[in-house]
Amino acid sequence: MRSLNVYQAGHQIGTLYDEQPLRFVYDTHWLATPAAQAIAPAFPLQAEPFAGGHVHAFFENLLPEGPVRRLLQASHHASTTFGLLRSVAGDTAGSLILLPPGELPKPPAYHITSWQHIAEQLRQGKAPTLGAQIQDDMRVSLAGAQAKILLTVLDDGRPAIPVGTAPSSHILKPDIQGIPGVWASALNETLAMQLADNLGLGTATAVYQADTRACLIRRYDRQTDAHGGLTRLHQLDLCQLAGVPSGLKYESDGGPSLAQCRYLLQEIGVPAKDLKRLLQWVIFNLLIGNHDSHAKNLSVLATPSGWQLAPFYDLMCTTVYPGLSRQFAFRIGGTNQPGQIGSSQIQAMASVLGMSPHYALGLARDIAHALPPALDKTIKALQTIVYPGTEHTLLERLAQRIKQETRKHGQRWGL
Ligand SMILES: Nc1ncnc2c1ncn2[C@@H]1O[C@H](COP(=O)(O)OP(=O)(O)OP(=O)(O)O)[C@@H](O)[C@H]1O
Ligand SMILES: [Mg+2]
């Protein structure tokens, strides 16, 4: 029976067995350790094994999706969730490392490279498998359908690619390729992330990396320890928390609704302020025209004071690209058509999230009023670092589009 050893912070905490369905069992030594913590609420600390759809969903959600997964399947001759995890799950979202028996997590090692080299590789189309084509002894896995590279940024600013099970500290997201009509998405994402940050929404730190023309995002699930090394914090995305595979990340496909997200967040014990943040996230996504805000774009992070809604990530104005979906990822007050979301839908969402309609509309008003000046400030700063031409054009289009979305929604909501 093939198996994978599951490690966390250098300890083997369990084993995943390649059975139908997948089976996970905690390590007995780990169970006896005071530091032992459940990897998710669905898997409480116990000696009995877990098997079934929720085990599959938990681990499948660690893998890339769509075209990136298909490339990994082809390059590793691994078509199953187990086979892919075996090949790539050395550095994942959160704290877990999966390795075949006989292999142990090694002291972190990195291949130092340069931004210019990565830029050249990107020009040659060599980014889709998280950087494995730049460095072939990488073993990294991160969810999402977009091509990205996991790396670490050294103190002197140079990038370094993790080798084996070494942790990455940053995610580099180049422009999305292969979706007709989508261009300069990395700059779009940088703008949306910085705008959310300027509005004080609690966002992962993102900058526009000038050489690669890509969005460089600091991982909030990595922390520098006293010796300058990186430690991993545990995190779960809302599909993992709901026990559904990544294919169900959209509510319209049967994935979690906002009501379920609220329930899951409360059940795991996030502080009350995080429900406010959830509402702010929905409002912000509507106001900037980000329709791709599905359940895998929300995560909870394990902190010393307990589970918290993680900083926001994967924000972008999708409506600036005519080919992308016109439907919002969640239903708000019964509709996923943004043009049909009025103040009564916002009020319905408020009660779904356990808030007074008055309070929710007040939060929406605050963001809608603060957004245009924050947008101007964010765009002005980006204009100083981007090239004239395409990138400037995108910033101008985004300025118009986001202000228009904000104005129209503000009117519909009676702000
Ligand atoms: N700053 C961050 N720190 C830690 N983990 C992150 C961060 N940003 C993203 N992640 C994790 O990586 C996953 C993929 O990131 P992201 O959502 O940006 O990719 P994507 O390919 O654009 O996704 P999608 O398929 O939604 O378009 C997320 O689901 C989350 O688990
Ligand atoms: Mg995403």
Side-chain angles (χ1 to χ4, degrees):
M1 174 56 55
R2 292 201 308 170
S3 65
L4 286 170
N5 293 335
V6 183
Y7 291 89
Q8 189 176 44
H11 302 279
Q12 187 182 338
I13 63 157
T15 309
L16 182 70
Y17 292 95
D18 186 14
E19 288 172 9
Q20 297 289 345
L22 289 176
R23 179 162 60 96
F24 171 74
V25 61
Y26 284 111
D27 186 271
T28 43
H29 293 114
W30 176 243
L31 286 173
T33 312
Q37 298 227 337
I39 56 170
F43 309 108
L45 293 172
Q46 62 178 47
E48 295 73 33
F50 302 92
H54 61 315
V55 178
H56 179 266
F58 179 89
F59 288 100
E60 186 273 341
N61 272 299
L62 296 176
L63 292 169
E65 299 150 56
V68 186
R69 184 176 302 184
R70 286 193 286 280
L71 270 158
L72 287 176
Q73 286 172 329
S75 58
H76 291 276
H77 286 178
S79 53
T80 62
T81 293
F82 183 91
L84 282 172
L85 289 166
R86 188 174 193 279
S87 306
V88 297
D91 189 37
T92 63
S95 63
L96 302 183
I97 295 174
L98 283 80
L99 286 175
E103 289 188 40
L104 295 171
K106 296 199 186 89
Y110 297 89
H111 169 77
I112 299 175
T113 179
S114 66
W115 294 113
Q116 290 75 14
H117 178 69
I118 295 178
E120 182 51 36
Q121 303 288 305
L122 288 174
R123 272 192 289 278
Q124 295 175 21
K126 291 185 181 172
T129 48
L130 298 156
Q133 291 172 337
I134 295 176
Q135 182 67 26
D136 59 12
D137 43 6
M138 278 185 94
R139 200 182 185 118
V140 295
S141 179
L142 202 70
Q146 311 309 334
K148 47 184 97 59
I149 297 174
L150 295 188
L151 44 76
T152 282
V153 182
L154 304 177
D155 288 345
D156 62 11
R158 281 181 300 168
I161 306 285
V163 175
T165 55
S168 55
S169 65
H170 288 73
I171 304 167
L172 187 74
K173 293 179 79 176
D175 285 340
I176 294 172
Q177 306 288 334
I179 304 184
V182 176
W183 51 287
S185 66
L187 183 58
N188 186 338
E189 182 159 351
T190 311
L191 167 68
M193 294 287 288
Q194 293 185 347
L195 176 60
D197 191 38
N198 283 334
L199 289 167
L201 298 185
T203 312
T205 307
V207 295
Y208 197 57
Q209 207 292 318
D211 306 274
T212 52
R213 325 309 295 165
C215 180
L216 180 65
I217 306 138
R218 179 185 288 279
R219 292 189 66 157
Y220 54 74
D221 59 348
R222 301 290 179 259
Q223 263 184 351
T224 309
D225 65 22
H227 314 287
L230 283 176
T231 53
R232 293 171 159 101
L233 301 180
H234 198 50
Q235 69 164 326
L236 303 170
D237 69 50
L238 273 263
C239 281
Q240 286 182 302
L241 213 47
V244 297
S246 62
L248 297 185
K249 63 189 180 185
Y250 291 105
E251 183 182 359
S252 55
D253 284 333
S257 62
L258 271 183
Q260 281 166 306
C261 289
R262 174 203 169 180
Y263 172 76
L264 292 165
L265 291 177
Q266 281 188 317
E267 210 189 20
I268 203 169
V270 301
K273 71 168 173 50
D274 282 351
L275 292 185
K276 172 184 168 191
R277 292 192 61 229
L278 175 62
L279 182 87
Q280 288 176 316
W281 178 75
V282 175
I283 297 287
F284 177 79
N285 285 320
L286 284 167
L287 292 177
I288 69 158
N290 178 21
H291 290 180
D292 204 32
S293 49
H294 50 70
K296 268 187 90 65
N297 283 337
L298 270 182
S299 291
V300 289
L301 182 66
T303 74
S305 50
W307 288 103
Q308 290 186 3
L309 191 58
F312 299 139
Y313 55 88
D314 205 7
L315 307 170
M316 175 188 295
C317 171
T318 60
T319 59
V320 79
Y321 305 124
L324 296 185
S325 177
R326 303 279 112 185
Q327 285 182 2
F328 195 64
F330 286 106
R331 295 177 82 81
I332 309 291
T335 179
N336 58 10
Q337 301 299 320
Q340 290 173 10
I341 300 173
S343 79
S344 52
Q345 281 70 24
I346 298 290
Q347 295 184 40
M349 169 168 67
S351 61
V352 157
L353 298 182
M355 290 165 202
S356 83
H358 179 74
Y359 178 71
L361 281 171
L363 282 182
R365 188 176 303 114
D366 290 347
I367 300 180
H369 286 174
L371 202 147
L375 179 64
D376 288 339
K377 181 180 153 197
T378 314
I379 288 190
K380 209 169 159 200
L382 281 171
Q383 270 167 341
T384 61
I385 58 161
V386 302
Y387 290 124
T390 317
E391 294 175 340
H392 265 271
T393 308
L394 182 84
L395 290 178
E396 278 163 21
R397 297 245 181 113
L398 286 173
Q400 278 173 10
R401 163 63 63 170
I402 295 175
K403 281 183 186 165
Q404 187 192 48
E405 296 275 10
T406 302
R407 196 173 50 247
K408 281 191 183 167
H409 281 302
Q411 283 164 359
R412 287 187 201 110
W413 305 346
L415 302 182

